Amino acid sequence: MKFKQIELQAIPYNVRYANLRTCRQVHYMLYVLGLLQISLFSESCSPNITPVDLPYDTLQQFSRSGDSAAIDRWWTTFDDPQLNQLIDSATVENLPLQSAWERLEASRQSVKQARSGLFPQVDLGLQSGISRPKPDFVGGENTRLSLGVSYEIDLWGRIRYAAQAEEYRMEASQFDYQTAAVSLAAQLSLTWFRLQAAYRQLDLVDQQIATNEQTLSLIRVRFGSGQVRGVDILRQQQLIASTQEQKIILETSIATLKNQLTVLLGRPPAELANENLKTHIPQLPPLPATGVPLELVNRRPDIRSSYSQLMAADRDWASAMSARYPRMNLSLTAAIRSNDINDLLQSQAVSLTGGILAPLFYGGRLKAAAKQAEASRNQAVLNYAQAVLIAFQEIENALVQEAQQIRRIEVVEQRLDLSQRANQQLQTEYLNGSIQYLDVLTGLNQEQQLQRELVGARLSLLEIRVALYRALAGGFETSRETEEDQS
């Protein structure tokens, strides 16, 4: 497949890397078409630029698009205040999300550690010893107080690139936290909708049980007058038993969904066991606008995390290349020393030293490290490209599935309407004695199954819309991030 160059307005999609080489010094350049354009070069010679493009054609548009804007807090479009409150609570109390925040904090400290190499290192030392017998050995100095300063001049950017790599990893950790928040909102929304659907189906089953019991009473009356056979009573009782089994299944599902909900909220299971959480199954919101695929995809925090990992891998490669060139270290030491601690302040000495360390033979270790870092960078390019492809697939799948699910609901509604009309006709014929009760029983069972199937189909439609929102969603700011910004 021919490689295509792609430009983005939000996150850069077409990435270009610079080859490191020596002129009067090592050059490194990274060009990104779009938002980012960073170049590090000297005036003595120009860098050698190597473009690296993604191995597939640009996706111009998705198969479907709506008119409403894609918002970050997409769950508010369902107009369910209780769902909004649950998600707000979960973003504070959910334990995996808190763990992701701690990973972000650890990454921030890694950045500080990497940046420390750009500053001088200062050490304070005190040495003291006692020698026996006295007097001490000639020239012996048993007490020494020293202050040392050491600094590596980052000629080729080895330390600077390593620090930049950690900064990009910190950005990736922040996007990972936002990805975890989006996933939590989606998982909680799915659990909530499934719970409401289970409540709705339980109400239907209760109504069906009542209807079936009324029908059983009528059959018994007709049996007493010799109008029906005893087997009709048994068949109706079998239908009631089957419906009661469905009720047990639904009650079990409601209990487990409540437990799942409490765990997502960071609470022990069964805490909401006695709570009545029944509200309603929301209507499907308008279809969001999909717009330009690349712009929407690059709003996603998981894609931005993959891009940051790519940039970090590129900086690691630059740092590994820079490690193959000579290093210059400066050190300054001020010391006072004496054989007697009482005379310590009477003797002072200051020394300034500098050194150059040039790697000559390391058994190919530095070259192998540089090639390993370059291979990791190339791997990060492919990982980023694959992440974008998967994002395209998730969005397109959700759009196709939603359109087909709407058609399926229309068919199920049509089948239910026909079944209800057929049952009315069958009951009339049965009362007139023209058909057997088995035909009525079969039609009634099909109608009740279609009623439950319709609830499940509408639930599936909501699940598909949640998947679409999740595939389109950018990261949203949680209360934890808001409090950190304010502080």
Side-chain angles (χ1 to χ4, degrees):
M1 179 182 295
K2 185 179 180 180
F3 281 34
K4 297 294 182 180
Q5 295 186 357
I6 306 171
E7 296 183 3
L8 282 187
Q9 297 178 359
I11 299 300
Y13 191 82
N14 180 40
V15 184
R16 296 193 176 195
Y17 303 95
N19 291 333
L20 291 176
R21 60 194 177 105
T22 303
C23 206
R24 289 170 55 188
Q25 63 177 8
V26 176
H27 297 277
Y28 177 72
M29 174 178 285
L30 174 65
Y31 277 174
V32 178
L33 295 180
L35 181 67
L36 184 63
Q37 184 176 2
I38 302 175
S39 60
L40 298 172
F41 58 93
S42 68
E43 298 179 356
S44 55
C45 61
S46 59
N48 182 21
I49 302 299
T50 301
V52 179
D53 301 318
L54 300 182
Y56 46 75
D57 296 335
T58 308
L59 182 63
Q60 299 297 331
Q61 63 181 7
F62 293 110
S63 60
R64 298 175 64 226
S65 180
D67 297 327
S68 62
I71 61 176
D72 294 334
R73 294 182 174 270
W74 45 265
W75 58 89
T76 59
T77 60
F78 293 105
D79 195 21
D80 190 333
Q82 196 165 357
L83 174 62
N84 299 341
Q85 183 179 359
L86 287 173
I87 292 180
D88 290 341
S89 178
T91 54
V92 176
E93 301 175 1
N94 180 261
L95 299 182
L97 190 60
Q98 294 183 45
S99 176
W101 181 263
E102 294 302 326
R103 286 195 298 270
L104 173 58
E105 182 60 29
S107 182
R108 289 170 177 167
Q109 301 308 315
S110 297
V111 171
K112 293 181 180 180
Q113 294 180 35
R115 287 175 178 172
S116 65
L118 297 171
F119 300 94
Q121 310 298 310
V122 181
D123 298 309
L124 178 65
L126 175 62
Q127 294 177 308
S128 182
I130 299 177
S131 299
R132 292 292 185 270
K134 291 184 178 180
D136 196 6
F137 301 104
V138 177
E141 297 171 347
N142 293 336
T143 302
R144 183 173 185 267
L145 179 65
S146 63
L147 180 68
V149 180
S150 60
Y151 178 66
E152 178 182 344
I153 300 177
D154 194 20
L155 293 175
W156 322 117
R158 180 182 64 86
I159 301 175
R160 182 172 66 255
Y161 293 139
Q164 291 175 358
E166 291 301 326
E167 291 173 1
Y168 281 116
R169 290 191 181 93
M170 181 192 68
E171 288 184 2
S173 296
Q174 184 171 4
F175 292 135
D176 289 340
Y177 171 78
Q178 294 177 359
T179 301
V182 172
S183 299
L184 173 62
Q187 191 174 2
L188 198 146
S189 298
L190 291 175
T191 304
W192 180 254
F193 294 151
R194 289 165 184 168
L195 180 61
Q196 300 310 314
Y199 274 125
R200 175 58 182 155
Q201 287 187 332
L202 184 61
D203 291 340
L204 276 176
V205 168
D206 287 335
Q207 295 173 8
Q208 292 169 359
I209 291 175
T211 300
N212 294 337
E213 289 177 345
Q214 291 176 0
T215 304
L216 178 61
S217 300
L218 294 176
I219 295 176
R220 282 174 175 169
V221 172
R222 293 174 64 85
F223 176 76
S225 60
Q227 299 179 17
V228 298
R229 298 175 301 171
V231 69
D232 293 340
I233 296 178
L234 296 177
R235 287 169 175 169
Q236 184 64 22
Q237 289 175 337
Q238 183 181 7
L239 178 61
I240 294 175
S242 176
T243 313
Q244 289 174 340
E245 180 187 6
Q246 291 297 321
K247 181 177 181 179
I248 295 174
I249 294 174
L250 290 170
E251 289 174 342
T252 304
S253 178
I254 289 174
T256 55
L257 287 170
K258 283 183 177 180
N259 290 338
Q260 184 178 353
L261 194 64
T262 54
V263 171
L264 289 174
L265 294 173
R267 305 172 191 173
E271 184 174 309
L272 300 177
N274 299 323
E275 297 289 335
N276 184 9
L277 303 177
K278 181 170 63 175
T279 57
H280 64 281
I281 301 178
Q283 297 294 324
L284 187 69
L287 181 67
T290 53
V292 180
L294 295 178
E295 293 180 3
L296 282 176
V297 163
N298 283 277
R299 294 174 61 248
R300 289 176 42 153
D302 59 332
I303 300 299
R304 301 180 73 177
S305 174
S306 179
Y307 178 77
S308 295
Q309 292 287 356
L310 165 59
M311 302 297 287
D314 185 69
R315 294 305 192 273
D316 286 334
W317 170 72
S319 179
M321 289 291 292
S322 300
R324 301 176 62 185
Y325 297 96
R327 304 179 188 178
M328 178 176 291
N329 296 288
L330 297 178
S331 62
L332 174 65
T333 302
I336 53 179
R337 51 189 175 226
S338 174
N339 287 340
D340 189 349
I341 193 171
N342 296 325
D343 300 331
L344 185 63
L345 299 178
Q346 299 180 4
S347 176
Q348 296 86 25
V350 178
S351 63
L352 175 64
T353 61
I356 296 179
L357 175 65
L360 293 180
F361 180 74
Y362 285 76
R365 176 170 60 87
L366 297 180
K367 182 178 180 181
K371 288 188 173 296
Q372 180 186 28
E374 184 178 9
S376 297
R377 184 207 66 179
N378 296 336
Q379 181 184 5
V381 173
L382 297 176
N383 290 341
Y384 175 73
Q386 180 66 11
V388 174
L389 273 183
I390 292 176
F392 288 158
Q393 178 187 7
E394 291 174 349
I395 296 173
E396 190 62 32
N397 285 351
L399 291 172
V400 173
Q401 290 171 355
E402 180 173 310
Q404 296 299 322
Q405 187 66 18
I406 291 175
R407 293 180 57 192
R408 181 197 168 197
I409 290 176
E410 293 175 351
V411 172
V412 174
E413 289 175 340
Q414 183 181 10
R415 290 175 58 198
L416 179 59
D417 179 67
L418 293 173
S419 177
Q420 291 173 343
R421 292 162 58 186
N423 282 339
Q424 293 176 358
Q425 183 66 28
L426 288 172
Q427 290 175 5
T428 301
E429 294 179 1
Y430 172 70
L431 293 176
N432 294 331
S434 58
I435 63 172
Q436 298 293 326
Y437 179 71
L438 180 60
D439 295 331
V440 177
L441 181 65
T442 303
L444 181 61
N445 188 23
Q446 290 178 348
E447 179 183 346
Q448 293 179 353
Q449 289 181 354
L450 284 172
Q451 288 174 342
R452 297 193 294 267
E453 183 179 343
L454 181 59
V455 175
R458 289 172 177 169
L459 170 62
S460 298
L461 181 60
L462 290 175
E463 292 175 343
I464 294 171
R465 174 55 64 87
V466 170
L468 177 60
Y469 280 142
R470 183 178 180 180
L472 293 174
F476 62 91
E477 191 175 54
T478 64
S479 58
R480 188 177 288 109
E481 293 174 292
T482 303
E483 292 174 358
E484 183 185 54
D485 292 339
Q486 292 176 351
S487 62

